[in-house]
């Protein structure tokens, strides 16, 4: 059975720049017959922000898209219709990038919301919600006492009936993955909760990067392996995935290299 591999954009960037030769070598040695590296709209949003917000030249952005196509080919992952599952789709990253640019103004709204989330979280100075007090909380338990609140907020956000609310209280990823819209909503609310309680909290000025991180958490859940070298993102992803039994394996750069080495034996 083939395994789907999802790289956070920092890993893509490392590969493009050959920043860590051992990572480049591991990617080259990854058995492409049994592993498929995929991209999602979140990757193209990472690239688009440099062109639309940071005034990078469009030709530089397109070189980044070209490299994404080199490592992922046309193996796309994207949502279909509201309340439907995501699908693996044969599509060029360039086509996805065109859509991202076309609807980029929607991102500005999302960025504003995320900026507010981080502003409120960082304004919470109570001892029990400080990053220091949350530093050693295990990732598989950090959301246990907050899950009911997250589900309740999700039900309110989508105006679910009492019966619908009762159902999603019993859901894990097996059910959530059939409804991309609800799953995306759950991940966003869970990520907001982590910020609010101080678990690996981001600084307020990192709202844009955090927005893209959450998108990667959403899409990577539909794959077998998620590789990120962002320690905060790694731990937040594990916390969210643990809360609803997402089976995806979350790895850092070194763990991925070790995984490839073990697969070669």
């Amino acid at each position: 059975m083939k395994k789907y591999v999802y790289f956070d954009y920092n890993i893509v960037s490392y590969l493009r720049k050959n920043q860590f030769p051992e990572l480049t070598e591991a990617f080259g040695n990854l058995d492409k017959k049994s592993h498929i590296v995929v991209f999602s709209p979140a990757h193209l949003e990472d690239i688009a922000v440099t062109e639309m917000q940071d005034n990078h030249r469009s030709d530089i952005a397109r070189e980044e898209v070209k490299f994404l196509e080199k490592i992922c080919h046309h193996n796309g992952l994207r949502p279909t219709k509201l309340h439907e599952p995501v699908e693996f789709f044969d599509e060029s990253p360039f086509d996805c990038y065109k859509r991202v640019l076309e609807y980029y103004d929607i991102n500005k709204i999302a960025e504003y919301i995320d900026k507010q989330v981080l502003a409120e979280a960082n304004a919470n100075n109570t001892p029990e919600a400080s990053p220091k007090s949350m530093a050693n909380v295990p990732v598989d338990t950090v959301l246990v006492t907050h899950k009911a609140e997250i589900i309740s907020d999700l039900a309110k956000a989508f105006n679910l009936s009492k019966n619908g609310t009762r159902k999603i209280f019993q859901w894990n990823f097996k059910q959530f993955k059939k409804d991309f819209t609800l799953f995306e909503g759950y991940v966003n609310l869970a990520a907001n909760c982590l910020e609010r309680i101080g678990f690996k909290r981001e600084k307020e000025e990192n709202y844009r990067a955090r927005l893209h991180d959450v998108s990667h958490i959403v899409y990577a859940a539909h794959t077998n392996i998620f590789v990120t070298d962002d320690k905060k993102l790694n731990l937040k992803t594990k916390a969210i995935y643990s809360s609803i039994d997402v089976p995806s394996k979350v790895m850092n750069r070194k763990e991925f290299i070790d995984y490839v080495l073990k697969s070669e034996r």
Side-chain angles (χ1 to χ4, degrees), residues 114-129:
D114 255 45
K115 190 173 183 179
Q116 295 299 113
V117 168
L118 289 184
E120 291 174 9
N122 280 278
N124 186 356
N125 296 317
T126 56
E128 63 273 15

Side-chain angles (χ1 to χ4, degrees), residues 86 180 229 252:
V86 298
F180 176 81
D229 226 26
N252 61 30

Side-chain angles (χ1 to χ4, degrees), residues 116-151:
Q116 295 299 113
V117 168
L118 289 184
E120 291 174 9
N122 280 278
N124 186 356
N125 296 317
T126 56
E128 63 273 15
S130 68
K132 186 176 180 179
S133 69
M134 298 296 294
N136 297 315
V137 179
V139 293
D140 57 347
T141 62
V142 66
L143 284 174
V144 168
T145 59
H146 301 279
K147 185 177 177 181
E149 178 188 357
I150 295 169
I151 294 292

